[in-house]
Amino acid sequence: MLPGILLLRSGLAAVLGASVLLYGSSTVQAAGLPELTIYTENDPPYVTVDEQGRIGGLTKPRLQRFLQSIGYSTRDIKVQPWVRAYKEAMSQPNVLIYPIAKTPEREARLTYLYRLYDASVYFYRLSERTDIRVNNLASAKKYRVCAVRGDYRAEYLQSQRFERIDLAPDSTANLKKLLAGRCDLAILTEIGIHSKLAQLNEQPERVSIAYPLLELDSNLYIAINSSSKPETIKLLKKRAAALD
């Protein structure tokens, strides 16, 4: 076969350097990689999904660079509720998930491949709740804290023995609980909370930072289940390392 002839998934085929063009999935899959499943959730501003199903958000620029390096595109990503996507990523080989932060529990099952976005996390309170005072992590434990079920921030609170955690299905519901006075504190990133306030037509002045969680690594990554074949993980990490 002559070099450069394309191999279509439908039967026409080709070899192009080290890649195979898969028109069925609109990707150019890197040689040596098995079929990968990539999950995300609709979580503005980090991940957005428009009416046509196109994926955007703050993580997209670096995500696209990584996907292109392994022969995939955002059209190959499956948008699922976080709990479902997280369960798959934590239990199945060849499953990638983003955006995800690091925790010891996750690092036991996931291999982090590429940093997508830098973020910082804070405890927030309603600005009118001047009675709430948080001077350190221990002093926050006496308050009811809203967090997202399955989220790294909820996992962090649980690891720190917080007992009054009110879990929500997503970050928007999490913020709604804070605004409604159903909890004293909410744990969110600065850009995340202001994006969601705008989404809810609420003024940013409604909330104030109660305490910065500087001890928590809140950068966002794309990761793969560590039970994937070592050669798969090695190749993905090699492609990611070449990007920076």
Side-chain angles (χ1 to χ4, degrees):
M1 182 178 290
L2 294 176
I5 296 178
L6 299 179
L7 177 57
L8 303 181
R9 181 175 279 179
S10 60
L12 287 174
V15 177
L16 180 59
S19 300
V20 177
L21 184 59
L22 302 176
Y23 283 102
S25 61
S26 301
T27 66
V28 180
Q29 188 173 334
L33 285 177
E35 184 175 349
L36 303 172
T37 301
I38 308 169
Y39 284 116
T40 193
E41 66 167 337
N42 187 8
D43 184 25
Y46 307 108
V47 181
T48 60
V49 183
D50 66 16
E51 294 179 354
Q52 286 73 44
R54 292 174 299 202
I55 291 177
L58 296 177
T59 55
K60 184 177 179 179
R62 288 178 63 84
L63 173 73
Q64 278 190 309
R65 292 183 64 201
F66 174 76
L67 293 180
Q68 288 170 0
S69 76
I70 64 170
Y72 281 79
S73 78
T74 55
R75 289 171 296 198
D76 299 296
I77 297 172
K78 296 183 179 181
V79 181
Q80 297 283 353
W82 178 255
V83 173
R84 185 184 307 170
Y86 182 64
K87 181 179 179 181
E88 287 292 307
M90 293 287 277
S91 62
Q92 299 298 323
N94 301 328
V95 172
L96 288 85
I97 188 170
Y98 89 96
I100 188 165
K102 291 180 179 179
T103 67
E105 179 185 9
R106 292 174 178 181
E107 288 187 282
R109 297 189 184 184
L110 299 175
T111 298
Y112 286 75
L113 301 170
Y114 190 57
R115 180 175 50 80
L116 300 177
Y117 194 79
D118 296 333
S120 298
V121 167
Y122 302 88
F123 281 123
Y124 285 90
R125 62 172 173 83
L126 290 177
S127 296
E128 63 194 49
R129 292 290 307 275
T130 56
D131 59 302
I132 296 175
R133 298 190 179 278
V134 182
N135 299 315
N136 51 47
L137 195 62
S139 65
K141 294 182 179 180
K142 65 182 179 181
Y143 297 110
R144 190 171 186 84
V145 183
C146 283
V148 176
R149 183 178 293 106
D151 182 78
Y152 73 101
R153 289 158 289 196
E155 292 175 355
Y156 177 75
L157 296 178
Q158 291 162 347
S159 73
Q160 297 299 311
R161 301 180 185 275
F162 276 68
E163 297 180 355
R164 303 181 66 193
I165 306 174
D166 192 329
L167 296 175
D170 55 57
S171 294
T172 302
N174 188 31
L175 178 56
K176 285 180 178 178
K177 285 185 178 183
L178 178 68
L179 296 173
R182 292 176 57 186
C183 55
D184 305 307
L185 299 169
I187 183 168
L188 292 148
T189 63
E190 185 173 20
I191 193 164
I193 195 169
H194 288 296
S195 172
K196 286 168 177 59
L197 284 168
Q199 178 185 337
L200 297 171
N201 295 316
E202 297 282 355
Q203 296 299 313
E205 292 78 16
R206 285 210 61 191
V207 300
S208 298
I209 292 174
Y211 184 74
L213 280 167
L214 301 178
E215 57 269 64
L216 182 59
D217 179 1
S218 301
N219 296 329
L220 302 176
Y221 301 83
I222 185 166
I224 188 172
N225 185 281
S226 294
S227 67
S228 307
K229 289 184 177 181
E231 54 265 31
T232 297
I233 295 175
K234 182 179 180 179
L235 179 55
L236 291 171
K237 292 177 74 172
K238 181 180 180 180
R239 295 296 174 97
L243 299 177
D244 291 331

